[in-house]
Amino acid sequence: QHHDAALSAVLTRSRSVNVNTVTDWTAGLITGLTAGMAHFFGAIPNILGALILLIIGWIIAGIVGGLVTKLCRGIHVDTVADRVGVNGFLQQSGTKLRTSSSIIGEIIKWVIRLVFIEMAAEQLGMPQISLIINQILGFIPNIIVAVVILGVGAFLGQLLGGIVRGAASEAKIGNGGLLSKLTFGAVMAFAIIAALNELNVAPVVVDTLYIGL
């Protein structure tokens, strides 16, 4: 009888431990789910605010970008770009943006979009994204300078190429067209390297190319 009583006490204690364990696990699960749901529903206003900012930003960016493109065409930016060879360079590069006006409009559009993305990230409490966007926005002046360098390079390349063609023709040297193209290519090579240097793209490689040229 004493043995049976001890066994019964052990079984009772085991059942009690199991019940307590299940109860604690269930309570922990309920607590975790409740906290998660509360956090989710608490974040809904911030999420909606961020979505509204993105929608408004995309709309404004599209409108302003289109207006800037039309303004650039109205003041004959593409005409100047054609003369200096920028548009020809863009067309040969295979990009979808074939004119300087469209590129300027696209840059303005994405600047506005990035500003609104940064505002949405701040609304959601994501400082890392804001930091990255600030770095991108700070890099835009370098991009503009690089584009200007390429434009000037294309202009000088065409100018010097024409001079070389004319000189070759006056000197009755054959292959004047080939010499002109080689001159244009050499000038553009320097311009591309200078643009890459402005963008801080692989500075070691750029310095090596400078030395090689």
Side-chain angles (χ1 to χ4, degrees):
Q1 291 178 351
H2 179 73
H3 178 73
D4 292 340
L7 180 61
S8 177
V10 172
L11 292 174
T12 301
R13 191 179 300 111
S14 176
R15 292 193 190 97
S16 178
V17 171
N18 290 335
V19 170
N20 291 335
T21 301
V22 172
T23 303
D24 292 341
W25 182 83
T26 304
L29 178 61
I30 293 174
T31 302
L33 288 175
T34 303
M37 294 296 291
H39 181 72
F40 173 75
F41 285 113
I44 285 180
N46 291 334
I47 295 173
L48 291 177
L51 287 175
I52 291 173
L53 283 173
L54 289 176
I55 293 172
I56 293 175
W58 243 249
I59 294 173
I60 293 176
I63 294 173
V64 175
L67 290 175
V68 170
T69 300
K70 291 180 180 179
L71 176 63
C72 290
R73 289 172 180 167
I75 61 176
H76 306 293
V77 170
D78 289 333
T79 302
V80 177
D82 284 332
R83 290 177 180 175
V84 301
V86 174
N87 286 349
F89 175 77
L90 292 174
Q91 292 171 4
Q92 291 176 3
S93 67
T95 179
K96 293 181 180 180
L97 303 174
R98 299 298 183 91
T99 63
S100 299
S101 296
S102 59
I103 285 183
I104 294 172
E106 194 71 15
I107 290 174
I108 297 298
K109 181 192 300 183
W110 273 103
V111 168
I112 297 174
R113 285 178 178 177
L114 287 174
V115 170
F116 276 89
I117 291 174
E118 181 181 6
M119 293 169 61
E122 292 178 353
Q123 181 74 19
L124 295 174
M126 298 179 176
Q128 297 86 353
I129 295 178
S130 298
L131 179 61
I132 293 173
I133 292 176
N134 281 330
Q135 292 176 345
I136 294 174
L137 291 175
F139 194 64
I140 288 177
N142 298 74
I143 297 175
I144 295 174
V145 173
V147 172
V148 172
I149 290 173
L150 290 176
V152 173
F155 171 73
L156 291 177
Q158 283 195 338
L159 178 63
L160 293 177
I163 293 174
V164 169
R165 184 187 296 110
S169 177
E170 288 292 332
K172 297 182 180 180
I173 299 175
N175 296 325
L178 176 61
L179 292 174
S180 175
K181 290 180 179 179
L182 289 175
T183 302
F184 177 80
V187 173
M188 283 306 300
F190 276 106
I192 291 172
I193 292 173
L196 291 176
N197 187 50
E198 182 65 30
L199 296 175
N200 293 320
V201 176
V204 176
V205 176
V206 172
D207 292 341
T208 304
L209 289 175
Y210 261 128
I211 295 172
L213 292 173

